[in-house]
Amino acid sequence: MKEKVVAAGLFAGLSVLFWSGRSHSFGPGDSPQHVVAALTWGVPHPPGYPLQTALAHAWSRLPWAEPSAAVNGLSGLLAAGAAAVLFLLLRLQGCRPTAALAACGFMALAPLLWFYSLVAEVRALNNLLALSAAYAACRWAAGGERRWLWLLGALVGLGLSHHPNFLFIVPALAWWALARKTSAQDLAVAAAVAFVFLCLPYVVLGLRLAQSEPVYNLYAVKGWAGLPGLFLRKDYGGPLRMVSGSGFMGFGGLDLAKLLEHAGWMAASAVRHGGPALLLCLLPLALRKDEPRRALWGWGLWLAGSGGIFLAISSQQVAICDPEYARAVVARHYLLPFIALFAVAGHGAQRLASRVRPAFVATLAAAAFLVPVAVS
């Protein structure tokens, strides 16, 4: 119960911070179309983001908020929820409260994640679904209550319906969930639940399209028949197609120079936005017998999937002449892999806590929240 109170307080505090700083118009990139799609319950670019759009549309109709500002503010609430879930997840994985709070502060107030908490974008919901799925997987492995396995299936389905890069963290989720022996029947039910919840947001969108043509329909989706193509990003060339260019992870020839260039961009972004958390990431590398190896291997799979596979795809497909613009385009995709870095930093803070006075890690956790706010 105490952990839930702390998580609730974390959510409340970050919600106030993000809500007070929310944009009242829109941010860069795809933010304008997400605001317009939410206000009109329309259809943005593939895969259509039906869950995000429906939630944001309902939220924009609050009587006490300016509609466009409310849509932006929803990202902050979702980001605050993601931080609260990360706290619960790290506690479940063996981190003490101060270590978990330090990781949450580093993650929530990292400049890149903070920025995407203030504007209408799909990243905050993606992060919340991903961390919630990880929590459900670890709860299933720890206790064997089937409700957590069914919840895991539902969250995986919603995550896959929301953004294709959710697929990259499925190996990490499976690694954690399958720490407990799971029957073929339970796996089949979980897969069926995942399929139902993958379809559900598109069913809601289909019902909306059946009522009337949206004012904003970027790809002119026509009723039920257009939904499969929308989900599969048909007009983008496929589910894993980036914005432009050709080639996919080496098909047509691997451009190693581009791969190294994009890897450098991600590394530089990690240093810039990770800050002291990166130093904490080094501490769990010297594992002791009593440390949570499975948890850390899972985060390694998370980083390799959402970061490594993304680099292999983006570096070969993003054919934009201006390198700085290309760098800005791919930066928002770093949020999901960076979650793994901040989670490992939480385990690093836990390792540090076993060697220093408790007050030191408590001070570190406080600084993770107070310093970014003070200098912003």
Side-chain angles (χ1 to χ4, degrees):
M1 181 59 69
K2 181 181 178 181
E3 293 170 353
K4 293 180 180 179
V5 171
V6 175
L10 178 62
F11 170 75
L14 289 174
S15 293
V16 171
L17 177 65
F18 294 150
W19 185 265
S20 64
R22 71 194 187 281
S23 171
H24 286 254
S25 56
F26 47 79
D30 296 333
S31 181
Q33 64 173 283
H34 290 304
V35 171
V36 175
L39 295 178
T40 62
W41 198 357
V43 184
H45 71 272
Y49 308 106
L51 178 60
Q52 165 99 8
T53 303
L55 290 175
H57 178 70
W59 187 252
S60 72
R61 299 179 72 84
L62 293 173
W64 45 268
E66 178 189 349
S68 60
V71 173
N72 289 297
L74 180 61
S75 290
L77 301 182
L78 296 172
V85 175
L86 177 62
F87 173 79
L88 295 174
L89 176 57
L90 290 177
R91 289 289 292 136
L92 185 61
Q93 292 182 342
C95 295
R96 64 183 64 189
T98 51
L101 280 172
C104 293
F106 285 130
M107 182 190 78
L109 301 182
L112 188 63
L113 282 91
W114 193 346
F115 173 79
Y116 279 102
S117 300
L118 306 180
V119 298
E121 250 286 2
V122 299
R123 310 297 157 180
L125 179 55
N126 201 40
N127 293 347
L128 176 58
L129 290 171
L131 283 166
S132 297
Y135 181 71
C138 291
R139 284 296 300 263
W140 158 250
E145 298 176 79
R146 283 189 173 87
R147 62 189 176 114
W148 291 108
L149 184 60
W150 311 154
L151 179 59
L152 172 60
L155 291 166
V156 168
L158 290 176
L160 292 174
S161 77
H162 179 59
H163 201 287
N165 71 3
F166 196 93
L167 180 66
F168 301 154
I169 67 165
V170 169
L173 300 178
W175 171 261
W176 285 318
L178 297 180
R180 172 171 293 276
K181 186 176 180 180
T182 308
S183 68
Q185 181 179 1
D186 284 341
L187 287 175
V189 173
V193 171
F195 179 76
V196 169
F197 278 83
L198 186 154
C199 296
L200 185 59
Y202 287 93
V203 171
V204 173
L205 177 58
L207 293 172
R208 187 265 178 274
L209 293 172
Q211 293 299 313
S212 63
E213 176 74 17
V215 174
Y216 184 80
N217 192 348
L218 192 60
Y219 277 77
V221 179
K222 301 296 183 182
W224 297 97
L227 295 180
L230 182 68
F231 168 66
L232 294 173
R233 295 163 64 98
K234 179 181 177 181
D235 293 323
Y236 270 23
L240 299 181
R241 174 66 60 187
M242 290 292 293
V243 292
S244 62
S246 62
F248 168 64
M249 296 182 67
F251 284 97
L254 175 66
D255 189 335
L256 184 59
K258 282 291 184 182
L259 179 61
L260 294 176
E261 181 182 34
H262 279 244
W265 292 350
M266 180 178 284
S269 186
V271 171
R272 179 180 179 184
H273 300 288
L278 294 185
L279 298 177
L280 291 172
C281 288
L282 301 176
L283 295 180
L285 296 180
L287 292 175
R288 300 182 307 185
K289 291 182 179 180
D290 60 339
E291 291 191 9
R293 293 173 179 267
R294 194 169 193 96
L296 292 171
W297 277 109
W299 289 119
L301 285 172
W302 183 299
L303 180 60
S306 61
I309 296 176
F310 170 74
L311 280 178
I313 296 173
S314 66
S315 64
Q316 305 307 300
Q317 293 186 2
V318 178
I320 299 176
C321 295
D322 184 355
E324 291 304 315
Y325 178 69
R327 190 170 183 175
V329 168
V330 299
R332 55 191 150 170
H333 295 273
Y334 299 161
L335 272 65
L336 193 60
F338 282 2
I339 287 176
L341 295 179
F342 293 117
V344 174
H347 286 280
Q350 171 64 22
R351 179 72 185 272
L352 184 65
S354 67
R355 293 174 172 263
V356 299
R357 293 181 180 275
F360 181 84
V361 179
T363 302
L364 179 67
F369 288 93
L370 297 178
V371 172
V373 173
V375 301
S376 64

